[in-house]
Amino acid sequence: MITDHFADATNFLAFVSSLSPLESEANESMRSKLYQKIYRKGELILETGTVCKRIYFIDSGLVKTFFYTDNREFIMRFFAEGSMFTVLDSFLAQRPSAYAVQALEDTEITCLNYDDLEMLCKRYHSMETFYRKLLAIAAVNMMERIGGTLEEKAQIAYHKFLQAHGSLLQRISLADLASYLGITQVSLSRIRAMK
């Protein structure tokens, strides 16, 4: 990881305002708490077993959240520029994460620490509204991801991924895509070969 530096918070603040417009005092208070981190391709942003203490906004790049079981990797989500995310269960409970987050490309991230977010929510109603809406979006996305994994056949899941995230196809490895779909690379190759 390259050293932390002051963030150009424009995109982070625009995302926040899209969920809950902030009064100018809340906006400036949040801006003062934001900082940027730069990760190289392959670098871990969050290691399994550590507590997730940040909300992340991707200014540029691509990351994946994943976990291992029985020596097999399962990818939960991909996040590209313009996305805000965290490892929700670890962040909310401030307990060690079962997931890891890794940069798939060189990635610039604007961060907000848990303690700073809590303080901002106590001080500003608009921040609390933003946080509530962010959690609701994250919960809906996770429910859709879990539901899709449980009920869809691999071919349908692949085509849904193409519709929703086709622009990522050139940016992620086939191994990562197969892991995300919960299938082997051989199965993915068969699906891709079908016309």
Side-chain angles (χ1 to χ4, degrees), residues 83-112:
S83 300
M84 186 172 284
F85 73 97
T86 190
V87 178
L88 198 56
D89 59 338
S90 176
F91 185 79
L92 290 174
Q94 287 296 281
R95 66 175 187 223
S97 176
Y99 300 93
V101 180
Q102 182 179 36
L104 295 176
E105 300 174 348
D106 289 349
T107 302
E108 289 189 24
I109 297 176
T110 300
C111 305
L112 178 63

Side-chain angles (χ1 to χ4, degrees), residues 4-177:
D4 301 353
H5 60 281
F6 182 74
D8 171 9
T10 307
N11 294 330
F12 189 106
L13 292 169
F15 183 90
V16 170
S17 291
S18 73
L19 296 183
S20 176
L22 302 179
E23 56 271 274
S24 60
E25 185 181 327
N27 193 61
E28 287 310 308
S29 189
M30 178 188 275
R31 181 185 299 274
S32 73
K33 302 297 183 187
L34 299 176
Y35 58 96
Q36 194 168 59
K37 288 184 167 286
I38 300 173
Y39 296 89
R40 295 291 175 219
K41 180 179 179 177
E43 193 171 355
L44 285 175
I45 296 166
L46 179 72
E47 294 184 40
T48 303
T50 59
V51 176
C52 183
K53 295 183 177 289
R54 301 180 184 109
I55 284 182
Y56 305 97
F57 182 86
I58 301 182
D59 295 301
S60 65
L62 179 67
V63 305
K64 66 179 178 182
T65 58
F66 66 99
F67 66 96
Y68 283 100
T69 183
D70 297 327
N71 296 323
R72 185 168 168 209
E73 179 184 272
F74 291 90
I75 296 175
M76 292 304 294
R77 293 288 306 264
F78 296 103
F79 295 97
E81 47 279 317
S83 300
M84 186 172 284
F85 73 97
T86 190
V87 178
L88 198 56
D89 59 338
S90 176
F91 185 79
L92 290 174
Q94 287 296 281
R95 66 175 187 223
S97 176
Y99 300 93
V101 180
Q102 182 179 36
L104 295 176
E105 300 174 348
D106 289 349
T107 302
E108 289 189 24
I109 297 176
T110 300
C111 305
L112 178 63
N113 288 335
Y114 175 86
D115 291 338
D116 292 330
L117 178 60
E118 287 291 307
M119 177 273 298
L120 290 166
C121 286
K122 286 177 187 168
R123 195 174 289 172
Y124 304 105
H125 178 70
S126 58
M127 280 299 303
E128 193 173 350
T129 301
F130 151 71
Y131 190 31
R132 178 182 49 79
K133 288 182 177 181
L134 183 67
L135 293 177
I137 291 168
V140 168
N141 287 341
M142 189 54 65
M143 297 282 290
E144 288 176 354
R145 172 75 175 118
I146 292 168
T149 300
L150 294 175
E151 67 187 37
E152 292 176 359
K153 292 184 177 179
Q155 187 173 359
I156 294 168
Y158 172 73
H159 289 293
K160 279 192 169 183
F161 178 86
L162 289 181
Q163 287 175 342
H165 308 290
S167 62
L168 297 181
L169 203 55
Q170 300 304 314
R171 297 170 65 185
I172 60 176
S173 70
L174 291 180
D176 279 348
L177 180 56

